[in-house]
Amino acid sequence: MLADILLPKGVHSEPESVHTWWRVMCLTGVDYFSTLGYQPGIAFLAAGLLSPIATLVLVLVTLFAALPLYRRVAGASPHGQGSIAMLERLFPRWGGKVFVLILLGFATTDFIITMTLSAADAAAHFVHNPFAPHWLQSQMLITLLLLTALSAIFLRGFKEAIGIAVVLVGIYLALNAVVTTVALGEVLRHPHLIPEWKRALFAQHPTVLGMIGISLLLFPKLALGLSGFETGVAVMPLIAGTDIRQRIRNTRKLLMTAAVIMSIFLMLTSVVTTLLIKPELFAENGPANGRAMAYLAHQYLGNAFGTVYDVSTILILAFAGASAMAGLLNLIPRYLPRLGMAPEWALASRPLVLVFMAVAFFVTYMFDADVDAQGGAYATGVLVLITSAAVAVVISLGKRKRRYAYMLITAIFIYTTALNIWERPEGLKIASFFILTMISVSLVSRAMRSTELRIMSVDLSEGALDMLAEDEDQVIRVIARRPQNETAADLDRIERAVRKRYGLDPRESVYFFEVEKGDASEFDCTLVVDGERLGNNKILKARSPVVANSIAALLIELERRTGNVPHAYFKWKDGNPVANAFRFVFLGEGDAAPLTHEVLRRAVKDPDHLPVIHVS
């Protein structure tokens, strides 16, 4: 279960291999392009005869809002961090960490619902196929079997994902092109279809402005057609490039190509499904519900070709779940363990697979494996991530003139997100569950991991090394103290008191160690120690998110360098011990003596090498 726990930490981890941008586009396409399996049906259920016009609004937002937005996100996050890392940088300290947790909650909603919705739609294609065995007609059962197979794949280990994705996307797009072309031919052979549609449309909506207005109001229900952009940025580390700039250019090619392909298919499929499929067939349990293009494939190309189309759709939808699972396994270990907000086993993929699958089973049960019912939750996750990206871009632009265009884009997505949440609150409920769970787990994990060493390495400057070399016996004695504006006379007084209390020889070198507290929300860091003198006093200085762990790390480094056990001298800190513990977990300070001892006890297993702590 923990065989791969040594995954690289941090958002700048490099992948094992890179690929041309169009191949990586296929990896994102198994999620993005697979929505053609259910998007036309969802669009008709939401907009009815207005489906082509409402889809046109979606296409315009895709090309002229989401695409330019994520072109900037790609430039700002070349390592694939996306909008989450952008906001973490823009809002430092605990504010940024809270943003990360909230956005991770919505991202988890997006990816989990991608798995459950895709599996449910794949099951719909299976049970409605005329060749499906009668004893496998339960959409819930097929959905759970597909999710189980997905978890088994990831428990065993998932490789060659891009090669499979290229094949699946190529076949799926080719089949959709065939079905769409044949369907357009049927529309042309029956010229009465378009006038009939126009008469019916104007009977419901007398004015063009009214149609446009209603289409704008209906846009949030179609917004899951924007699902590919955040994924497109997340896979940036997989894209080949001689340098970062070329990788960004190639990523923008990926985003542009995927958006154009998807926009063409969205428009054409919305037209042919609206004109050729009777409205009642889109209803729940209807043969076109969640599988409009598959219905047309069977209708006009026969059951044999339709079955091939069904198999292709089932495979790409199942692989869309794999893409979502890969996204989760890439996202969660990059953030929560690094921030101390998850146990170390969260760095391993297999335990996370079991956790995510349990959640996916629960979500499938709650939504009764219904594709349409999950559309709102899916759209919520997608829209919140896009809105967060828009906000991050606007803030990053500062006072530049072009920010006004992005402010308009941000306003569009804020409106869309708010309306979607208002009309379909199930997505917010699911995201709230994930957010509350993450916050609860993060607080517990942060407390339990607070006494880990947390210092990745200790870097002693030349000045510090020169001062340490002055100690003849190399048994280093350190007085830990809070940085204060004290004079040389004050430090002389403290040194004399320590020497007297512990009977130190006047010739024994004593060093003061001052740790300036940095961003306490950071969990680990590299400790850079410098040396300076104040009168006759030798002072080691450092800056760190947490004081006690930094003192412990320095002592361990001193023992490693000198081969002698160092000594550290502390003064008891007054105050409530519970309050001191809280200050340590969240503010990086507290009663340093017992906390330093506990960090050393956990980090140093051999008692012969354990630094000595003195407290008075």
Side-chain angles (χ1 to χ4, degrees):
M1 290 297 292
L2 302 178
D4 59 350
I5 199 169
L6 296 178
L7 289 173
K9 295 182 180 180
V11 297
H12 299 293
S13 304
E14 291 291 335
E16 293 182 359
S17 59
V18 293
H19 309 266
T20 55
W21 65 267
W22 63 268
R23 289 174 61 85
V24 181
M25 182 189 71
C26 292
L27 182 62
T28 66
V30 293
D31 175 17
Y32 193 27
F33 299 143
S34 68
T35 57
L36 291 170
Y38 47 82
Q39 176 77 8
I42 289 177
F44 190 88
L45 287 176
L49 296 176
L50 272 174
S51 176
I53 299 174
T55 302
L56 177 61
V57 173
L58 171 63
V59 167
L60 292 175
V61 172
T62 297
L63 296 177
F64 298 104
L67 179 58
L69 178 70
Y70 273 91
R71 284 173 60 87
R72 293 202 64 87
V73 172
S77 59
H79 298 284
Q81 310 98 310
S83 59
I84 295 179
M86 288 180 68
L87 286 172
E88 183 186 7
R89 291 194 300 268
L90 293 169
F91 297 96
R93 300 185 180 273
W94 283 111
K97 305 307 182 292
V98 172
F99 267 111
V100 168
L101 291 177
I102 293 174
L103 291 178
L104 283 177
F106 283 105
T108 304
T109 302
D110 181 7
F111 288 127
I112 290 289
I113 298 297
T114 296
M115 289 190 290
T116 58
L117 188 148
S118 299
D121 195 49
H125 282 77
F126 181 88
V127 300
H128 284 96
N129 186 280
F131 300 121
H134 66 87
W135 51 275
L136 280 178
Q137 293 296 312
S138 170
Q139 188 161 321
M140 173 67 78
L141 174 62
I142 300 301
T143 302
L144 294 178
L145 288 176
L146 288 172
L147 291 173
T148 301
L150 179 65
S151 63
I153 290 171
F154 276 90
L155 287 174
R156 182 172 178 81
F158 195 63
K159 298 181 179 179
E160 303 301 331
I162 287 185
I164 298 172
V166 170
V167 174
L168 290 179
V169 168
I171 294 174
Y172 184 68
L173 291 181
L175 292 174
N176 270 283
V178 171
V179 176
T180 303
T181 301
V182 171
L184 286 172
E186 287 296 318
V187 171
L188 294 175
R189 278 194 292 271
H190 299 84
H192 66 280
L193 290 174
I194 294 178
E196 288 179 358
W197 169 70
K198 288 176 64 178
R199 282 195 296 272
L201 185 61
F202 276 99
Q204 294 180 5
H205 311 284
T207 66
V208 174
L209 287 177
M211 296 178 193
I212 296 174
I214 293 175
S215 297
L216 291 173
L217 292 174
L218 292 172
F219 169 66
K221 295 183 178 180
L222 280 67
L224 50 83
L226 298 168
S227 63
F229 286 99
E230 190 74 23
T231 309
V233 172
V235 297
M236 282 188 71
L238 298 175
I239 299 174
T242 55
D243 55 26
I244 291 296
R245 290 184 178 180
Q246 187 176 8
R247 177 183 292 175
I248 292 172
R249 287 195 296 271
N250 289 339
T251 301
R252 288 171 174 168
K253 291 179 185 177
L254 180 156
L255 295 172
M256 171 67 80
T257 306
V260 170
I261 291 173
M262 190 63 174
S263 296
I264 293 171
F265 272 109
L266 283 174
M267 278 308 310
L268 295 178
T269 55
S270 69
V271 170
V272 296
T273 54
T274 301
L275 294 178
L276 295 176
I277 301 177
K278 295 179 179 179
E280 60 269 18
L281 301 181
F282 287 103
E284 185 176 354
N285 296 322
N289 181 260
R291 56 186 299 275
M293 293 302 292
Y295 175 84
L296 293 179
H298 284 273
Q299 182 77 12
Y300 296 109
L301 291 164
N303 287 333
F305 183 91
T307 299
V308 172
Y309 184 90
D310 281 336
V311 171
S312 173
T313 305
I314 290 169
L315 290 175
I316 197 170
L317 286 168
F319 208 78
S323 175
M325 176 66 82
L328 281 170
L329 296 178
N330 181 57
L331 193 64
I332 298 300
R334 282 177 176 240
Y335 284 97
L336 293 186
R338 177 174 62 87
L339 303 177
M341 294 179 174
E344 290 230 344
W345 59 258
L347 287 168
S349 62
R350 291 182 178 87
L352 288 178
V353 168
L354 295 180
V355 172
F356 295 144
M357 277 299 110
V359 175
F361 277 31
F362 177 74
V363 170
T364 298
Y365 173 78
M366 293 301 297
F367 283 103
D368 198 28
D370 190 310
V371 175
D372 302 324
Q374 297 178 70
Y378 188 18
T380 297
V382 171
L383 286 170
V384 169
L385 289 178
I386 295 179
T387 302
S388 69
V391 172
V393 168
V394 169
I395 295 174
S396 66
L397 285 173
K399 296 184 178 181
R400 281 175 276 186
K401 290 183 178 180
R402 68 182 68 179
R403 77 183 187 278
Y404 294 111
Y406 288 99
M407 288 173 68
L408 177 60
I409 293 174
T410 303
I412 292 172
F413 284 117
I414 290 175
Y415 152 77
T416 305
T417 304
L419 190 60
N420 181 78
I421 291 174
W422 175 263
E423 293 183 346
R424 297 182 290 181
E426 61 270 17
L428 181 62
K429 293 177 182 177
I430 295 174
S432 299
F433 167 76
F434 287 131
I435 292 168
L436 290 175
T437 301
M438 283 186 177
I439 290 176
S440 301
V441 171
S442 297
L443 293 178
V444 173
S445 174
R446 186 84 179 201
M448 294 182 66
R449 297 186 62 192
S450 60
T451 53
E452 291 181 7
L453 187 58
R454 294 173 56 175
I455 306 300
M456 308 303 292
S457 62
V458 178
D459 183 8
L460 293 166
S461 70
E462 290 296 328
L465 290 173
D466 290 342
M467 284 200 311
L468 291 170
E470 296 175 9
D471 192 322
E472 294 181 359
D473 60 6
Q474 286 294 282
V475 177
I476 308 299
R477 301 180 184 274
V478 174
I479 301 175
R481 64 186 297 277
R482 179 193 295 270
Q484 298 178 25
N485 293 324
E486 293 183 335
T487 64
D490 295 325
L491 296 183
D492 290 339
R493 177 178 51 80
I494 295 172
E495 181 182 340
R496 286 195 300 270
V498 170
R499 289 183 184 277
K500 180 178 179 181
R501 181 169 186 82
Y502 294 102
L504 299 181
D505 190 294
R507 294 170 296 180
E508 180 68 55
S509 294
V510 175
Y511 301 85
F512 289 95
F513 184 38
E514 300 179 353
V515 181
E516 181 184 357
K517 186 170 66 65
D519 182 359
S521 65
E522 293 294 331
F523 188 71
D524 51 35
C525 72
T526 295
L527 188 69
V528 178
V529 182
D530 200 2
E532 68 176 47
R533 299 177 188 271
L534 184 60
N536 295 323
N537 300 286
K538 290 168 284 196
I539 306 173
L540 300 172
K541 290 193 169 187
R543 180 181 176 85
S544 172
V546 60
V547 174
N549 309 61
S550 300
I551 299 172
L554 176 66
L555 295 175
I556 292 172
E557 178 67 13
L558 292 175
E559 193 278 335
R560 185 189 69 81
R561 284 178 176 269
T562 65
N564 298 315
V565 174
H567 294 248
Y569 302 88
F570 294 83
K571 183 177 181 181
W572 286 115
K573 183 176 179 64
D574 296 329
N576 187 294
V578 176
N580 282 334
F582 179 88
R583 288 165 60 83
F584 173 64
V585 173
F586 296 104
L587 301 179
E589 56 187 19
D591 197 353
L595 294 169
T596 302
H597 180 270
E598 178 60 19
V599 174
L600 289 170
R601 185 191 66 81
R602 292 185 60 179
V604 182
K605 303 303 180 183
D606 186 349
D608 293 335
H609 296 273
L610 185 66
V612 180
I613 302 297
H614 305 270
V615 189
S616 62

